[in-house]
Amino acid sequence: MKNTILTGDRPTGRLHLGHYVGSLKKRVEMQADPNNELYIMIADMQALTDNAKNPEKVSSNVLEVALDYLAVGLDPSKTTLFIQSQIPQLAELTMYFLNLVSVGRVRRNPTVKSEIEQKNFGEGVPTGFFIYPVSQAADITAFKANLVPVGEDQKPMLEQTQEIVHSFNNIYKPVLVEPKAVLPPKGMGRLPGIDGNGKMSKSLGNGIYIADSADVIKKKVMSMYTDPNHIHVEDPGQVEGNMVFTYLDVFGTDKEYIAKLKDNYRRGGLGDVKIKRYLIDVLEAEFAPIRTKREELAKDPAAIMEILQKGSQQAEMVAAQTLAQVKEAMGIAYFS
């Protein structure tokens, strides 16, 4: 059975290692399965819901996100890469879906509630931001995606889509596909920031980026949060909560050697500088080829935009078919 998968990212900055671990690597794996049809959206409309007064922040990062996609191995001949704002059918679907959702239901969405609090919107929350779970439902259903990769914190958003699909199919005709969540493996959903605080985030400035140079990665790793009580090399150190070991667990391939480092660190006699240097080597082994490919791709931005244009045209054709079915089901396909 063929799966249709939709996922994407907001273009508010370059993608970091949290994106790489949490979603990008999995997308490349999904792409390799001939039973998967993969749509990846650069969600610029969604990004504008809380950046409307700074649109350049969004538009300037569309190319950056596309470069990250291609550099990690996403292939436009196998995966449809497209820009959300170039698919007008998504906005029309959103309007129809809004009529199936109450203000109270959107307000109860825990993801929306927490993000409104994080951004200190209060009563000044933009309406577009407030209703973006409904917009996400339009994105997903337009391509009849049956699988949607999400983190644990995004499950309520997908549940909202499932409710909308159920309502639409019951009220009108069963033309929409109800999606299921694809959750990351336990412990792989989030990569903490280098400061040890929460997840790696563009807004917090605590990330290592796919595009970072070797020198920048080295500088960031050397500033990483470790064990504040591990003052001298001979002092016993704590591995849990130590970001260097957290990253080694994720990116290191020599698990036996990493286990020995942990034992040595706990006993005392192993300095932070040594383990940080090892992590730098591990990250370079993983990301140097990706960085080189990205730098080469960046020499021809017009070619990247052409890829996105073709992908957007392909995506629009699919979304248009779904919209036609939706309007027919609702009885508003007046001239078809």
Side-chain angles (χ1 to χ4, degrees):
M1 181 179 174
K2 202 169 184 71
N3 291 310
T4 302
I5 302 162
L6 178 88
T7 184
D9 300 280
R10 288 162 45 103
T12 53
R14 292 175 171 180
L15 302 183
H16 52 58
L17 302 201
H19 295 114
Y20 180 77
V21 170
S23 60
L24 296 178
K25 285 186 76 173
K26 183 63 178 177
R27 293 176 195 176
V28 175
E29 291 173 15
M30 288 176 166
Q31 175 182 261
D33 187 337
N35 291 317
N36 292 335
E37 186 171 4
L38 192 57
Y39 291 88
I40 299 182
M41 176 178 73
I42 299 180
D44 59 335
M45 287 172 66
Q46 190 184 123
L48 285 167
T49 61
D50 56 336
N51 288 285
K53 295 178 180 178
N54 186 15
E56 197 273 336
K57 176 183 177 182
V58 177
S59 60
S60 65
N61 279 301
V62 166
L63 178 63
E64 297 297 332
V65 171
L67 285 169
D68 288 332
Y69 284 168
L70 297 170
V72 301
L74 291 171
D75 184 347
S77 70
K78 300 176 182 177
T79 294
T80 303
L81 305 174
F82 68 98
I83 303 173
Q84 184 184 27
S85 64
Q86 304 308 296
I87 318 299
Q89 293 82 4
L90 300 180
E92 188 171 348
L93 282 172
T94 300
M95 186 64 209
Y96 300 145
F97 291 170
L98 281 170
N99 297 324
L100 303 177
V101 183
S102 69
V103 171
R105 174 63 184 91
V106 176
R107 187 177 285 121
R108 289 194 302 274
N109 187 309
T111 305
V112 173
K113 287 172 66 175
S114 66
E115 290 186 357
I116 287 174
E117 290 173 7
Q118 288 170 12
K119 295 177 184 294
N120 297 313
F121 278 139
E123 288 299 312
V125 57
T127 308
F129 186 89
F130 181 69
I131 59 93
Y132 86 78
V134 183
S135 172
Q136 283 191 335
D139 300 333
I140 294 165
T141 57
F143 303 97
K144 297 193 174 180
N146 66 310
L147 298 179
V148 181
V150 292
E152 285 286 345
D153 59 336
Q154 290 293 312
K155 280 175 66 178
M157 311 299 277
L158 192 63
E159 289 165 2
Q160 187 105 67
T161 297
Q162 291 166 341
E163 290 175 17
I164 289 170
V165 169
H166 185 74
S167 295
F168 185 96
N169 287 346
N170 280 339
I171 295 169
Y172 305 112
K173 291 180 183 178
V175 298
L176 300 180
V177 174
E178 185 170 326
K180 294 182 180 178
V182 179
L183 297 170
K186 194 169 183 180
M188 295 296 285
R190 280 187 172 183
L191 186 67
I194 59 175
D195 56 1
N197 291 323
K199 67 177 181 178
M200 187 175 288
S201 166
K202 287 178 279 191
S203 60
L204 295 175
N206 62 353
I208 296 175
Y209 292 85
I210 292 168
D212 280 346
S213 68
D215 286 342
V216 169
I217 290 176
K218 180 179 179 181
K219 184 177 179 180
K220 288 182 177 180
V221 171
M222 295 307 290
S223 71
M224 260 186 178
Y225 180 85
T226 54
D227 176 2
N229 297 315
H230 186 246
I231 300 170
H232 306 290
V233 171
E234 62 271 16
D235 293 340
Q238 184 169 320
V239 168
E240 294 72 22
N242 185 319
M243 289 303 100
V244 178
F245 285 110
T246 298
Y247 280 57
L248 284 174
D249 285 339
V250 172
F251 295 103
T253 56
D254 192 341
K255 302 302 181 185
E256 187 177 340
Y257 180 66
I258 292 169
K260 289 179 180 177
L261 287 177
K262 288 180 179 179
D263 289 340
N264 194 351
Y265 194 79
R266 289 188 179 105
R267 288 195 309 268
L270 179 60
D272 289 336
V273 171
K274 183 173 181 178
I275 57 171
K276 286 180 176 180
R277 284 176 176 163
Y278 179 61
L279 175 58
I280 290 166
D281 291 340
V282 166
L283 293 179
E284 271 301 290
E286 179 97 12
F287 291 101
I290 293 173
R291 185 193 310 123
T292 299
K293 183 177 180 181
R294 194 186 191 282
E295 289 170 351
E296 191 62 31
L297 289 165
K299 293 177 182 177
D300 191 355
I304 308 304
M305 296 308 293
E306 185 177 350
I307 288 170
L308 294 179
Q309 183 179 18
K310 288 181 178 178
S312 297
Q313 290 168 347
Q314 292 168 1
E316 185 179 0
M317 289 174 61
V318 176
Q321 291 175 351
T322 301
L323 179 61
Q325 292 172 345
V326 163
K327 294 175 80 168
E328 190 277 329
M330 294 175 67
I332 59 173
Y334 302 115
F335 307 118
S336 60

